[in-house]
């Protein structure tokens, strides 16, 4: 089972324990404790990546915390998932008239050969001794 909030680094499956934000005006990166909820402009990192992140040239890294602990899953996460499933089940299905419905293909139905091309014919000519 994947953690509720995984590290954003590609290929990393460890749980997030810190949040990275950028302050462009001050040319600084701030690595602090895991935020209360996922934000679109903040990046969740595992402990390894939070401690090893480096800043671009001319930027500063400000670390607000060095000892990180994973955040436990909350009941809010489970309730949000349950609400999303319930909402999806309540959406009305689009109506498709019976004439527009296509029958399902049978799995055991053999594959049909492509239609023959009647405009192509193989012509056989016989040679005569005169040639």
């Amino acid at each position: 089972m994947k953690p509720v909030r995984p590290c954003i680094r590609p290929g990393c499956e460890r749980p997030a324990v810190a949040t990275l934000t950028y302050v462009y005006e001050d040319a600084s990166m701030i690595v602090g404790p895991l935020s209360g909820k996922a934000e679109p402009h903040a990046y969740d990192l595992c402990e390894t990546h939070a401690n090893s992140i480096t800043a671009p040239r001319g930027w500063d890294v400000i670390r607000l915390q060095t000892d990180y602990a994973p955040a436990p899953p909350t009941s809010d996460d489970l309730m949000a998932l349950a609400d999303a499933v319930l909402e999806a089940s309540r959406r009305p299905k689009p109506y498709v008239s019976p004439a527009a419905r296509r029958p399902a293909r049978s799995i055991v139905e053999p594959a049909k050969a492509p239609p023959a091309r009647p405009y192509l014919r193989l012509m056989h000519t016989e040679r005569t001794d005169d040639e």
Side-chain angles (χ1 to χ4, degrees):
M1 183 175 152
K2 287 188 174 183
V4 176
R5 288 172 63 183
C7 180
I8 58 116
R9 297 297 297 252
C12 183
E13 296 180 358
R14 292 183 289 258
V17 295
T19 299
L20 167 70
T21 55
Y22 293 97
V23 180
Y24 293 98
E25 187 175 290
D26 298 333
S28 59
M29 299 167 50
I30 301 170
V31 179
L34 189 63
S35 62
K37 62 179 186 170
E39 295 290 334
H41 301 291
Y43 305 95
D44 297 334
L45 299 170
C46 66
E47 185 172 7
T48 303
H49 290 118
N51 289 327
S52 65
I53 194 156
T54 59
R57 186 176 297 163
W59 282 57
D60 296 319
V61 177
I62 301 169
R63 297 183 195 279
L64 301 176
Q65 184 176 348
T66 55
D67 296 328
Y68 301 105
T74 64
S75 61
D76 293 341
D77 299 326
L78 184 58
M79 289 305 296
L81 179 62
D83 290 341
V85 170
L86 183 62
E87 178 67 27
S89 69
R90 289 183 179 166
R91 290 188 189 137
K93 304 285 186 242
Y95 176 76
V96 179
S97 67
R101 295 181 192 152
R102 294 189 320 179
R105 265 183 43 194
S106 172
I107 295 175
V108 294
E109 179 182 314
K112 294 180 181 177
R117 297 189 270 177
Y119 53 87
L120 293 177
R121 287 187 286 166
L122 185 59
M123 304 290 280
H124 293 284
T125 58
E126 293 182 23
R127 296 185 132 212
T128 60
D129 292 334
D130 297 339
E131 296 178 8

